[in-house]
Amino acid sequence: MASPQAVLDRFADGVPCTSLADSFRSFERPAGDEPMLALTAATAATGGGSETRSVVEAAEERLLEPGEVTSFSGVADLEPDDERLQEVFHADRKCRVFCAVARVLANRPEPSDTEALWSWAAEADVYRYDRDPVGDVSGVGPTSFQYLRQLAGIDTARPNAALESLLESVEDDSRTAVIETSEPLRTLASCEWLSLTTSYRPLEIDRLAWWLEASDDERARARAVDQSLE
């Protein structure tokens, strides 16, 4: 029977877990360090959406570049049926989530959108997400809640299908009874337990899980970012 460390080491062999996590925290991904695009990416991922890159690019083209909607307060002034939002998300529910979360963040006391997003992410407690004003927005669950925190630079994981699959493999191969993936918060707690008992940070485990499920094109893009930072 292998230890959880040994199992993770086996899965991570050849995977640039540390650099993937570091580049993610350095905002080297489609949303960059632009707060509104971070919210765009997290919104795009609600309901299991995976095409965040194209949605972020659409938001940059339709909202930011024209200079008409460049802040959380600007989004908060829009209605979900606004044609520009519909062209970005192509889904009424996601447009509503985008506007509602933007209103929450626009009403924070920090002087800039960046500080508002970062301060919220640092303070937020995913285990009480439904009591959080962002988590209280209909359509925001633990996974999108955590993804927005990740996009704000927090070293954490999101309890999605990829993480569940990796944790279940660790559980099977190590026969570790502590790991539980029956619901998102238990999945997240199991990931945090692994990060405490192995050498892997939560975001490294998250990025490893992503890598194992990613397409060849997605992996190639991640490697290109990694090489550009060397």
Side-chain angles (χ1 to χ4, degrees):
M1 181 177 65
S3 68
Q5 177 75 48
V7 176
L8 284 177
D9 285 344
R10 175 162 53 81
F11 279 112
D13 185 32
V15 180
C17 295
T18 300
S19 58
L20 284 172
D22 289 346
S23 64
F24 204 84
R25 292 197 69 194
S26 300
F27 307 107
E28 298 293 337
R29 15 60 170 191
D33 60 358
E34 166 56 53
M36 202 173 81
L37 294 183
L39 178 56
T40 300
T43 301
T46 60
S50 59
E51 295 301 318
T52 58
R53 177 178 291 272
S54 61
V55 176
V56 167
E57 290 172 351
E60 194 164 19
E61 177 183 345
R62 310 281 187 189
L63 302 176
L64 282 180
E65 289 180 357
E68 298 176 5
V69 184
T70 60
S71 65
F72 289 146
S73 60
V75 176
D77 290 337
L78 300 179
E79 295 298 327
D81 61 357
D82 186 284
E83 182 179 351
R84 291 165 295 184
L85 296 185
Q86 294 289 330
E87 289 174 347
V88 170
F89 295 107
H90 305 289
D92 290 341
R93 182 185 60 78
K94 292 185 179 183
C95 292
R96 289 194 296 271
V97 169
F98 188 59
C99 291
V101 176
R103 290 189 188 100
V104 170
L105 296 173
N107 286 328
R108 287 187 61 91
E110 291 80 13
S112 71
D113 283 357
T114 297
E115 291 175 275
L117 178 58
W118 288 357
S119 296
W120 167 80
E123 298 167 358
D125 180 359
V126 65
Y127 294 104
R128 298 173 181 263
Y129 82 93
D130 53 351
R131 301 180 191 177
D132 184 284
V134 170
D136 190 49
V137 171
S138 177
V140 175
T143 299
S144 49
F145 187 90
Q146 285 293 90
Y147 190 31
L148 185 56
R149 294 184 70 219
Q150 285 182 330
L151 292 169
I154 303 300
D155 189 342
T156 192
R158 51 178 160 157
N160 57 12
L163 183 61
E164 288 178 16
S165 178
L166 174 59
L167 293 183
E168 287 166 3
S169 294
V170 173
E171 179 188 20
D172 289 343
D173 292 358
S174 66
R175 298 182 185 176
T176 300
V178 176
I179 293 175
E180 172 62 69
T181 59
S182 61
E183 57 95 14
L185 294 182
R186 291 183 183 274
T187 297
L188 184 59
S190 296
C191 178
E192 292 175 347
W193 176 82
L194 273 181
S195 75
L196 292 172
T197 56
T198 69
S199 63
Y200 294 87
R201 290 150 43 200
L203 189 54
E204 288 176 335
I205 297 172
D206 178 278
R207 293 293 84 197
L208 172 59
W210 172 83
W211 182 274
L212 296 173
E213 300 284 330
S215 68
D216 290 341
D217 286 346
E218 289 171 325
R219 291 180 180 182
R221 283 196 294 266
R223 284 195 183 279
V225 169
D226 184 36
Q227 292 169 358
S228 71
L229 297 175
E230 292 179 352

